[in-house]
Amino acid sequence: MSYGFETLAIHAGQEPDGRTGAVIPPIFQTSTFAQDAVGAPRLGYDYSRSGNPTRDSLQECLAALEGGRHGLTFASGLAAEDTLLRAVCKPGDHVVIPDDAYGGTYRLFAKVAQPWGIDFTPARLTDVDAVRAAVTDKTRLIWVETPTNPLLGIADIAALAQVARDAGALLVVDNTFASPYLQQPLALGADVVVHSTTKYVGGHSDVVGGALVLNDETVFEQAKFHQNSMGAVNGPFDAWLTLRGVKTLAVRMDRHCDNAERITEYLSRHPKVAKVLYPGLPDHPNHEVAAKQMRRFGGMISFRTGDPASAEAVCNRAKVFTLAESLGGVESLIEHPGRMTHASVAGSALEVPADLVRLSVGIETADDLLADLEQALG
């Protein structure tokens, strides 16, 4: 029987406990497991780095939500990214990345992967021809963020999947900004989906984590081996908190989108806002692609003030919007990407505009958020 998204979020991988009947699966807060005999671990569990029932529940749930066969979860989104790179790439390989990639992802490629021997080329993912031109005979991965962080660019996943197939490469889609509720990259041809589950999946700014979801058995086995061998797994309590958060993902995302749409409309009319970046706007250059591959347009908004000093002032004056990095929690956040989340790309080809402000729109009362922006912009 086929189930809807909300039903899967609450039930996939989360059967009532077989021993006690507890409706919520327990936290298996243990490092090791008793074995029935030498070399005969019970239910296959011997050590929590290698496998833990709480983590397995989360992995099964996330795979179901993304429409994939396999899920793997990690201690952070970057741990998931690094594990995937080590699992499928070798020195001499090449990766195409977004030319406005998340700063942490850029740092991973520039400061960790490249010294290890993996080359990379930034390309404008909204331009399929530019991505195709960036591909070489050594390209192993085409790495996609859509929407991108923080410029809210939209990549055509299906078109880039074809480019990857033509090149014999894998298409990796970071689905953190959209969440599996708003976008299903595997159904559009992606090979691997990446998440920072810290963000919308967890949804409450109280746990750090990451995930990979995929279908290919060979890539899964490679990634699973590296998950265990490299050991950057999430602990049982972190997995349980993330699993608790994901249960309300659908209803939270609808409220995030409702609030973001109202704020976008307000900012678009404000005389002190030079430009609003939001894929739901009809004048967004990739609006039609976003409308084709997303259920709605998300809770992330960026805008430009025309002046770096005023952008920082807006961030500093906000009261309901908390000045903080990260995103996707129930509370609204405001930040200056150039000096905060994307400071690591300063001076590079990926440097973001100095007058850019990024909003992670939460689920508070929309009128309160609008009033806060009014005073902050004033």
Side-chain angles (χ1 to χ4, degrees), residues 53-72:
T54 313
R55 189 167 81 237
D56 283 351
S57 292
L58 176 60
Q59 292 177 156
E60 182 178 341
C61 183
L62 293 180
L65 295 184
E66 284 287 2
R69 293 192 187 97
H70 306 293
L72 296 169

Side-chain angles (χ1 to χ4, degrees), residues 66 144 146 173-180 183-185 193-195:
E66 284 287 2
V144 172
T146 184
V173 176
D174 185 332
N175 204 27
T176 298
F177 265 35
S179 85
Q183 185 169 263
Q184 300 274 311
V193 173
V194 176
H195 279 284

Side-chain angles (χ1 to χ4, degrees), residues 70-352:
H70 306 293
L72 296 169
T73 59
F74 300 85
S76 69
L78 282 168
E81 293 184 10
D82 186 44
T83 302
L84 179 64
L85 283 177
R86 307 284 177 165
V88 302
C89 293
K90 63 183 184 302
D93 285 346
H94 173 261
V95 182
V96 178
I97 70 168
D99 68 352
D100 62 338
Y102 164 55
T105 297
Y106 173 78
R107 183 176 57 228
L108 175 65
F109 279 98
K111 304 297 185 181
V112 178
Q114 194 167 53
W116 184 53
I118 298 176
D119 195 15
F120 69 95
T121 301
R124 186 160 297 278
L125 297 185
T126 56
D127 184 343
V128 176
D129 290 334
V131 175
R132 187 177 287 111
V135 170
T136 76
D137 59 359
K138 296 183 181 299
T139 300
R140 180 71 173 118
L141 302 174
I142 297 177
W143 197 283
V144 172
E145 294 176 19
T146 184
T148 59
N149 179 10
L151 299 180
L152 281 302
I154 299 294
D156 188 327
I157 296 172
L160 293 180
Q162 186 60 55
V163 173
R165 284 193 294 271
D166 292 343
L170 299 177
L171 185 71
V172 179
V173 176
D174 185 332
N175 204 27
T176 298
F177 265 35
S179 85
Y181 180 65
L182 299 183
Q183 185 169 263
Q184 300 274 311
L186 295 179
L188 295 167
D191 297 290
V192 184
V193 173
V194 176
H195 279 284
S196 170
T197 57
T198 309
K199 312 305 194 296
Y200 286 110
V201 171
H204 293 79
S205 300
D206 57 5
V207 61
V208 175
L212 302 173
V213 179
L214 63 162
N215 287 321
D216 186 272
E217 293 292 335
T218 300
V219 178
F220 167 67
E221 291 298 337
Q222 291 170 334
K224 184 179 180 182
F225 175 82
H226 280 72
Q227 179 197 45
N228 182 41
S229 299
M230 294 168 66
V233 296
N234 49 338
F237 186 54
D238 286 355
W240 185 88
L241 281 173
T242 306
L243 198 58
R244 182 189 65 169
V246 81
K247 292 174 185 289
T248 58
L249 178 60
V251 292
R252 285 188 286 107
M253 291 309 300
D254 278 333
R255 182 59 176 263
H256 286 299
C257 293
D258 289 344
N259 284 355
E261 287 165 8
R262 286 195 60 187
I263 290 171
T264 299
E265 182 182 0
Y266 164 79
L267 292 173
S268 297
R269 300 193 310 266
H270 200 285
K272 294 187 178 180
V273 174
K275 185 177 181 61
V276 180
L277 308 176
Y278 185 68
L281 288 172
D283 64 353
H284 187 285
N286 311 115
H287 172 71
E288 291 185 5
V289 175
K292 177 181 68 174
Q293 66 188 24
M294 298 178 72
R295 184 196 299 251
R296 294 181 71 182
F297 302 105
M300 300 301 300
I301 304 169
S302 291
F303 65 92
R304 301 184 67 173
T305 63
D307 174 66
S310 64
E312 292 189 32
V314 170
C315 293
N316 288 331
R317 283 196 294 259
K319 293 181 171 61
V320 181
F321 281 85
T322 300
L323 179 60
E325 298 187 5
S326 197
L327 58 105
V330 293
E331 67 290 316
S332 292
L333 304 179
I334 189 169
E335 68 126 358
H336 185 271
R339 294 192 60 189
M340 295 173 70
T341 53
H342 288 68
S344 61
V345 300
S348 78
L350 282 73
E351 184 171 7
V352 299

